[in-house]
Amino acid sequence: MDWLDAMNKAIEYLEANITEKLDIEKVAKIALSSTFHFQRMYHMITGVTIAEYIRRRKLTLAAQDIISGEKIINVAYKYGYETPEAFTKAFGKMHGMSPSAARKPGANLKAYPKLSFHISIKGDKNMNYKIIDKGSFTVVGKQRRISMVDGENFKQVPEFWNDCMKDGSYEWICSKAGELGVLGVSKDFDKYKDGFIYMIGVEKIKDTLPKGYVSTNIPATTWAIFESVGALPEATHDLIRRIFTEWMPATGYQHDCAPEIEVYPKGDMYSPDYKCEIWIPVKK
């Protein structure tokens, strides 16, 4: 499969140039993808960002070099750390000890292995989807910056929803919901290294926005719309992972670098029968 080969070639390039400054655009090109889509796909599949993968691999290899007898200061500079102090801090965070302590017999070090991608064939649930074109529209609501480091987005987004429910924002948003219902919008992936902006809102309204509310434009694009069935947030989290790790590689679609949308109709979001939609902007 072209997609699988391309992803593995990208990893081989990263490993061969592990001591060099990361050129993410070149890596994405090897993966036959846009920079944004490659980073998003990689994070969804592995659970870590490219930057985090490189950091862990460097510190794994650095530990081996130190055990082999290389000078700590040389190892620090070899793997791109500007000072030995910065290297010692990063090394300690991963391995739980200083670089000098790693030389002692019996030191318990951590190793983060080189990744490779394989296809796993299994009988899983069907993914119901449709492809539509939709013109641009505006969404208004509240937003918060979300981190993708170590999967924090899967915790921070539900926390944001809970905060909006507690402070009355969600009630106001629900009262203004139009035909689509309440929307969750993930946007600005290209503006932040390890995160994005998440927005809870509705389609544009004529009312003056209260303090703390913002508006954002959703560009005209082609959408792949997937049906999610199940209690939130687990059902949507599982579906989003499957979209990126199963559906996209199987169909040849790529992310079109526009916001992603969750469409929440009225109903009990914690019911095992609750139905909502995930909208992913796509291109062939």
Side-chain angles (χ1 to χ4, degrees):
M1 180 182 287
D2 290 343
W3 174 85
L4 194 64
D5 291 340
M7 290 294 285
N8 282 320
K9 286 179 180 177
I11 295 298
E12 292 295 338
Y13 174 83
L14 287 173
E15 291 290 330
N17 296 274
I18 196 73
T19 59
E20 306 297 325
K21 185 177 180 180
L22 175 61
D23 185 347
I24 189 62
E25 291 184 4
K26 186 169 185 178
V27 179
K29 187 175 182 180
I30 294 171
L32 306 178
S33 178
S34 68
T35 301
F36 166 80
H37 178 68
F38 173 70
Q39 293 184 97
R40 182 84 164 121
M41 176 75 81
Y42 186 93
H43 179 263
M44 278 294 181
I45 294 173
T46 66
V48 298
T49 63
I50 283 289
E52 181 64 13
Y53 172 74
I54 292 296
R55 186 188 72 82
R56 294 182 185 182
R57 286 293 294 147
K58 283 184 175 182
L59 291 171
T60 295
L61 297 174
Q64 296 174 15
D65 291 344
I66 289 171
I67 292 172
S68 298
E70 290 191 38
K71 291 183 178 181
I72 293 173
I73 189 171
N74 292 341
V75 175
Y77 292 139
K78 176 181 178 180
Y79 291 103
Y81 289 88
E82 295 182 357
T83 65
E85 292 77 16
F87 172 68
T88 297
K89 183 178 180 180
F91 191 93
K93 186 176 181 181
M94 175 168 169
H95 294 287
M97 67 183 70
S98 67
S100 58
R103 285 203 172 110
K104 296 179 180 179
N108 291 316
L109 298 166
K110 295 180 181 179
Y112 192 80
K114 170 188 169 184
L115 296 182
S116 61
F117 296 98
H118 305 275
I119 291 295
S120 176
I121 305 299
K122 59 181 180 178
D124 212 333
K125 297 181 294 184
N126 291 329
M127 299 181 71
N128 298 322
Y129 75 95
K130 57 186 176 183
I131 304 294
I132 70 164
D133 292 317
K134 182 175 175 62
S136 63
F137 61 100
T138 300
V139 173
V140 299
K142 279 198 167 182
Q143 65 181 29
R144 179 178 293 179
R145 183 171 174 177
I146 302 295
S147 171
M148 291 172 62
V149 176
D150 295 330
E152 277 296 302
N153 49 304
F154 291 112
K155 299 178 183 177
Q156 293 181 4
V157 169
E159 288 174 355
F160 182 34
W161 278 90
N162 288 333
D163 290 344
C164 286
M165 289 177 180
K166 290 178 182 178
D167 67 17
S169 302
Y170 179 70
E171 184 178 353
W172 184 89
I173 290 171
C174 285
S175 70
K176 305 297 181 182
E179 183 179 347
L180 282 181
V182 176
L183 308 177
V185 180
S186 300
K187 63 190 184 80
D188 296 340
F189 293 100
D190 55 338
K191 292 183 180 179
Y192 301 98
K193 183 178 180 181
D194 294 317
F196 58 95
I197 296 295
Y198 187 83
M199 186 175 184
I200 300 174
V202 293
E203 290 181 274
K204 186 177 180 179
I205 57 176
K206 296 180 180 179
D207 308 35
T208 301
L209 293 181
K211 184 178 180 180
Y213 288 75
V214 297
S215 65
T216 190
N217 180 65
I218 308 297
T221 191
T222 298
W223 300 92
I225 299 178
F226 300 82
E227 182 184 60
S228 170
V229 181
L232 301 184
E234 292 79 12
T236 52
H237 288 176
D238 179 61
L239 178 58
I240 289 171
R241 288 191 182 97
R242 292 190 64 206
I243 290 170
F244 281 88
T245 61
E246 299 176 29
W247 184 82
M248 282 190 174
T251 61
Y253 277 100
Q254 285 193 7
H255 199 288
D256 199 20
C257 302
E260 298 168 11
I261 300 175
E262 302 143 26
V263 178
Y264 297 111
K266 290 182 179 180
D268 180 5
M269 293 183 173
Y270 305 109
S271 166
D273 299 321
Y274 181 72
K275 293 183 179 181
C276 60
E277 294 178 340
I278 303 294
W279 293 29
I280 303 294
V282 295
K283 61 182 178 181
K284 269 289 187 178

